Amino acid sequence: EDLLRLTASPQPAMPKKGTLGYKTTKKKKKKAPPHGGWEWLNDDAEWCDFAKEDCKLLEDFYQDDVTSFVTKDFSWNLKHKTLYKINFATMTQTNQDSGVCRELRRTGPPKKKAKKAKKTSKKEVKDDGNYHWEYMDDDDMWEEFNEEDSEMMEERYAEVGSKGVFSTTEFSFNKNHGSVYVVNFRKGTQRNAETNVVRKIKRVKDSTKSSSSSGKAKKNKGGKIVWQWWTD
């Protein structure tokens, strides 16, 4: 009779999934960042995440096919301004003052595969007319590269195509400095890999100049014409 009474009594309801007393065993997967994720190896052999802005800095250079660069723009370094050298070939970060070298690794999505640009031969460039290169200065004015630099950029343009990227220390204004400049023809930019200063560049077809003219007209970013004088 006692056994019958126990089986007939109502039993407590089981806790529903997600309520107190019910433990789920599923682990949430860590979402990969939309940009390239980057980590560094600390002294305890543990991988640590770079800050979001530092990941973006590293990823920008990585996507530009730069082998190495020097920077002082990491978020933790804004007060110290120490130079750090990043080498993607060896995946290392080296403090230029202390010499401390740390390992790096990339954890984000695979690197975007750039579409292979059709290479333009030097003959094709000549047949299409003569070109020179210009950069935008601090006053948003277009200035011509000198002849030596324009020729160098035309040669590289013929080698890598209109969507190519190359790095160089060969600019004439850079001979006493040896800074690395990254030129991206697709973006139309020239970047100093040490200071991260970016300037716009463009390829301009040469026009016939009148031998009797004594000046040249230039347009700034807003389209305003400014006349400048030059001497022979």
Side-chain angles (χ1 to χ4, degrees), residues 81-112:
K81 299 298 181 182
T82 303
L83 284 175
Y84 286 86
K85 182 175 182 180
I86 306 300
N87 190 319
F88 292 131
T90 58
M91 279 296 182
T92 54
Q93 166 199 288
T94 305
N95 184 314
Q96 298 292 80
D97 289 346
S98 67
V100 173
C101 181
R102 296 188 183 278
E103 291 184 44
L104 306 178
R105 73 178 181 185
R106 184 174 182 271
T107 60
K111 185 176 182 179
K112 296 178 182 178

Side-chain angles (χ1 to χ4, degrees), residues 2 20 22 28 38 42 53 66 69 72 116 140 150 155 170 175 177-178 199 206 212-213:
D2 292 338
L20 184 64
Y22 186 92
K28 291 184 179 180
W38 288 88
N42 67 15
E53 58 268 37
V66 177
F69 69 96
K72 53 185 178 181
K116 291 185 178 180
D140 290 339
S150 271
E155 289 179 0
E170 298 175 6
K175 289 182 178 178
H177 306 288
R199 294 189 184 277
D206 290 342
S212 62
S213 62

